[in-house]
Amino acid sequence: MDAGESKEVESAEDSVGCRNCQQPEIEPGYNFSLCRSCREQMAQRPLPQWIRGTAALVGVVLLLAFIRFPASLSAGIAFDRGHRAETSQHYTEAVTQYQKVVTRFPDSTPVLVRLCVVSFHAGQLDVTAHTLNKLQGRELSKEQADEVYTVSDKLEALVKQIEKLDKIGQAYNRSMLRSPQGAPTP
Amino acid sequence: MIPGILVTLATFPGVIVHEIAHQLFCRWFRVAVFDVCYFRVGNPAGYVVHEPPRTAWQNTVIAIGPFLVNSLIGALIAAPGAIPVLQFESGSLLDYFLIWLGVSIAMHAFPSTGDARSMLQAVQAEGTPSLTRILVFPLVGIIYVGAIGSFFWLDAIYGVFIAMALPNILVGILA
Ligand SMILES: [Zn+2]
Ligand SMILES: [Zn+2]
């Protein structure tokens, strides 16, 4: 698959003037005999219309890419920083970084999985619950599924415990209200 | 050769950018251009026929100009698509379009055997300063290896690397 080449035309030794227009005054310094105006014209050979059009389209796409690049780059950087924070167990920082990515790419499964895990470790259970919801019904790799189910099970256990504590608390409050010492002081 | 032709067809913008780069460098150095083919189904897929430039240095720039131009444009176009697709598995249609165009352009960065031959002639030509010879000769070698390597998909591997891997390496460095 040769992309394309730049071929050279052999130089002439027996030149009798410009090889294009036969004018005797040729431009010095070149191996190929051409007068100044012929060389100027041939060096400035115009690009065909369809090539100009294609080049313009590529230019437009390049501009579009420039506009999109900063957001993609900063999301990539945030994802990387999130990973680093996660491995050094700075979970709150990891949540912040992964959330930056989710803002830009809300449907990214790998990022949602990471956010789900680190938000649980950081104790931001509302974020965990929200991400678990978003992950529901998605195709996950075995590793991802293991991590997500572990978090989900732990969260469920935690919620049950909280409910239990809440019931105890309510019962306690009720008993306190009934007893004289528990009555609010005026 | 059929897969080669299909790949060339699928990546035609790269061939066009490659030939435009040759032609514009000729214009830059006031080198007469006799014929240009921007794209065709054949081998080579495109070409620029021009007179011998005045110096081996100019010849080198005309021969490897597309390498720099295609690599740069390909990388810049693919970068914003390559990050979400590879890292977040979350690419839009536009992201995949950017990757296709970027890889197409970057994989046609490689100088062809014709480019290498033209450089070799310039280096061997009488009156080429020995310093230029010393500097350019290894480059000719590398270009030959690249041109021959195209046969083993080296150009495609290079294109994918430039378009997909480079932006993600950049992320790793900046993070
Ligand atoms: Zn070329
Ligand atoms: Zn003339």
Side-chain angles (χ1 to χ4, degrees):
Chain A
M1 273 177 307
D2 263 344
E5 52 190 66
S6 65
K7 295 176 193 161
E8 275 172 22
V9 166
E10 292 304 320
S11 52
E13 275 106 42
D14 58 332
S15 60
V16 282
C18 173
R19 300 236 290 186
N20 190 45
C21 70
Q22 280 76 48
Q23 202 233 100
E25 253 179 76
I26 60 161
E27 192 177 357
Y30 286 87
N31 283 327
F32 194 84
S33 307
L34 284 173
C35 71
R36 195 172 283 273
S37 74
C38 281
R39 173 162 292 110
E40 192 62 36
Q41 204 187 333
M42 290 167 124
Q44 296 288 329
R45 184 191 175 91
L47 299 166
Q49 206 60 53
W50 73 279
I51 289 300
R52 284 163 180 269
T54 308
L57 279 179
V58 171
V60 168
V61 176
L62 192 59
L63 198 72
L64 203 73
F66 265 127
I67 295 167
R68 272 176 93 81
F69 188 54
S72 285
L73 185 67
S74 51
I77 290 170
F79 196 41
D80 222 69
R81 287 185 181 159
H83 272 305
R84 286 181 200 187
E86 187 182 346
T87 32
S88 52
Q89 300 184 330
H90 295 130
Y91 295 117
T92 309
E93 167 67 8
V95 169
T96 311
Q97 294 298 338
Y98 289 147
Q99 264 175 336
K100 282 184 197 169
V101 187
V102 169
T103 314
R104 177 70 184 76
F105 299 96
D107 267 327
S108 165
T109 303
V111 182
L112 286 174
V113 169
R114 295 307 348 127
L115 183 58
C116 172
V117 172
V118 295
S119 61
F120 182 76
H121 287 304
Q124 300 183 27
L125 302 182
D126 50 335
V127 179
T128 314
H130 185 69
T131 13
L132 278 172
N133 260 339
K134 282 181 89 174
L135 282 168
Q136 216 148 51
R138 288 198 194 204
E139 217 171 283
L140 299 177
S141 73
K142 171 142 192 348
E143 282 162 36
Q144 286 175 333
D146 283 349
E147 280 190 292
V148 170
Y149 285 136
T150 307
V151 169
S152 163
D153 289 348
K154 281 184 184 169
L155 187 66
E156 215 170 298
L158 211 58
V159 168
K160 269 183 195 153
Q161 252 175 341
I162 289 168
E163 277 171 359
K164 212 192 264 173
L165 281 173
D166 203 40
K167 270 179 198 158
I168 294 169
Q170 278 172 12
Y172 177 75
N173 279 347
R174 277 196 299 273
S175 69
M176 289 301 272
L177 279 169
R178 258 183 267 122
S179 65
Q181 312 100 293
T185 42
Chain B
M1 270 323 280
I2 284 168
I5 287 168
L6 285 181
V7 170
T8 306
L9 274 174
T11 59
F12 73 95
V15 181
I16 295 172
V17 171
H18 184 110
E19 304 314 330
I20 292 176
H22 275 313
Q23 192 187 344
L24 291 184
F25 279 108
C26 284
R27 188 180 284 188
W28 173 268
F29 292 128
R30 281 192 86 247
V31 168
V33 174
F34 304 118
D35 189 21
V36 183
C37 171
Y38 296 96
F39 184 73
R40 61 171 188 173
V41 180
N43 195 5
Y47 55 82
V48 173
V49 185
H50 58 82
E51 67 171 335
R54 271 171 298 178
T55 66
W57 162 245
Q58 290 184 351
N59 201 316
T60 306
V61 174
I62 292 170
I64 66 169
F67 179 73
L68 305 174
V69 170
N70 281 54
S71 299
L72 192 68
I73 294 179
L76 289 175
I77 286 180
I83 294 168
V85 166
L86 277 192
Q87 295 211 29
F88 312 142
E89 295 166 21
S90 159
S92 63
L93 209 60
L94 179 62
D95 290 323
Y96 284 102
F97 172 76
L98 292 175
I99 288 173
W100 163 72
L101 190 60
V103 171
S104 295
I105 292 174
M107 76 170 273
H108 288 291
F110 268 41
S112 63
T113 39
D115 293 335
R117 219 179 299 122
S118 121
M119 272 183 72
L120 192 63
Q121 278 169 9
V123 173
Q124 288 170 337
E126 271 178 62
T128 299
S130 25
L131 185 64
T132 312
R133 279 192 186 160
I134 293 164
L135 290 176
V136 173
F137 209 77
L139 212 57
V140 176
I142 294 168
I143 286 172
Y144 256 116
V145 169
I148 294 161
S150 302
F151 190 72
F152 307 104
W153 301 92
L154 198 64
D155 49 356
I157 294 165
Y158 174 81
V160 170
F161 174 80
I162 282 284
M164 301 291 284
L166 207 60
N168 289 297
I169 291 170
L170 183 72
V171 164
I173 293 166
L174 291 177

